[in-house]
Amino acid sequence: MSRTPGNARTPRTSRPPGPARTTRTAQQTAADRPDETTAPEPTSPAPSTTSAPALPLLRRFLHQDKDDAWAVRLLPRIVFGVAALYTVITLASQSGSSFVAVVTVLFLGLVLWFLRRRTQLLLALGVSILAIAFTGYFSAVGDAARTSEDASATVTGTAAFGYWALAGMALLGAWMVKNHPGRRGVTVVLADVILVIASVVGMFLPEAGVPLGFLGVLGVLAVRGSSAKAVTGRAGQALARLRKRKASDPTDS
């Protein structure tokens, strides 16, 4: 059968682009090629915020709201701080001795503040100061008693310096050991107690006070130190080996 011309398919004609496509094409072209005549709008500079946080803090401090813990606590601290500073300056300006006393107290306060977490070192420093005070007092009492008995005797104070040097030796010896087996502050306490006892003995026997204190401090450092622990450990191991050898030897029946 032959197809009639009426049944022949006519080719589809391309439709002209609609307004939507034209608009998209124009937008893309404008985006790709911006118009040189349209300049970007100038932006105004942002205001500086350096002084802005200071005003709210000042308002919080002056308002003193009960719910604001920062503002409520800051005012009493400022008042008491100014009062304490004025009191310290007034006491220090009275005389030279009061100035030295105030400076010493402030120095000790700073030391205590920085060492508040190191209890062993703080304990050792406190006990060393007490030991220096006691040994100096006992040596002075002994010298005064000897001068009252013998007018030709002179107060030299060499025993006091010897005790102070031994107190420093105990303090340094406890911290010079790298691996200390026990607490270092307890070691200094024991050494200072023996040193005070030696100073009491030195009141009656001046020639034996400092040597006795030296031997006591050295013995405490040796017993409490790692070297003494190592020596005792090795001695224990040697004794254990000797016992094993004696047990392994055949005994006579």
Side-chain angles (χ1 to χ4, degrees):
M1 293 177 63
S2 63
R3 296 182 180 178
T4 57
N7 294 332
R9 295 181 180 179
T10 57
R12 295 181 180 179
T13 58
S14 61
R15 296 180 180 179
R21 294 183 178 180
T22 306
T23 306
R24 289 180 181 177
T25 306
Q27 289 177 356
Q28 292 178 359
T29 306
D32 296 337
R33 298 178 181 179
D35 192 3
E36 296 179 357
T37 58
T38 59
E41 297 180 357
T43 58
S44 59
S48 61
T49 59
T50 56
S51 61
L55 293 177
L57 294 177
L58 183 60
R59 290 174 183 174
R60 288 173 58 185
F61 176 71
L62 295 176
H63 190 261
Q64 288 292 309
D65 191 3
K66 294 182 179 180
D67 297 332
D68 193 353
W70 177 82
V72 173
R73 293 177 181 177
L74 187 61
L75 182 59
R77 290 178 181 178
I78 293 177
V79 173
F80 285 112
V82 172
L85 182 62
Y86 177 76
T87 304
V88 169
I89 293 175
T90 303
L91 292 176
S93 60
Q94 289 182 358
S95 62
S97 59
S98 61
F99 176 78
V100 173
V102 168
V103 171
T104 304
V105 170
L106 291 177
F107 178 74
L108 291 177
L110 288 176
V111 170
L112 292 176
W113 173 258
F114 286 118
L115 298 178
R116 64 187 185 276
R117 295 182 179 178
R118 303 188 65 178
T119 56
Q120 292 297 314
L121 182 57
L122 188 60
L123 175 64
L125 289 175
V127 173
S128 298
I129 293 173
L130 292 177
I132 289 172
F134 279 112
T135 53
Y137 173 75
F138 290 140
S139 62
V141 169
D143 288 339
R146 285 189 294 274
T147 52
S148 63
E149 294 177 357
D150 188 4
S152 62
T154 57
V155 179
T156 58
T158 54
F161 287 107
Y163 294 136
W164 297 348
L166 291 176
M169 173 184 169
L171 184 61
L172 292 177
W175 262 264
M176 286 177 62
V177 179
K178 186 175 181 182
N179 297 321
H180 199 276
R183 296 183 179 180
R184 303 175 190 267
V186 177
T187 303
V188 177
V189 169
L190 295 175
D192 288 338
V193 168
I194 294 177
L195 188 60
V196 171
I197 295 173
S199 66
V200 174
V201 175
M203 291 174 59
F204 306 98
L205 297 174
E207 295 81 6
V210 176
L212 185 61
F214 176 75
L215 293 176
V217 172
L218 190 63
V220 170
L221 292 177
V223 171
R224 296 281 300 179
S226 60
S227 59
K229 296 291 183 182
V231 170
T232 54
R234 291 175 182 176
Q237 292 178 0
L239 291 175
R241 291 176 182 175
L242 290 176
R243 291 175 181 176
K244 288 182 180 179
R245 288 180 182 177
K246 289 181 179 180
S248 60
D249 290 339
T251 57
D252 296 333
S253 57

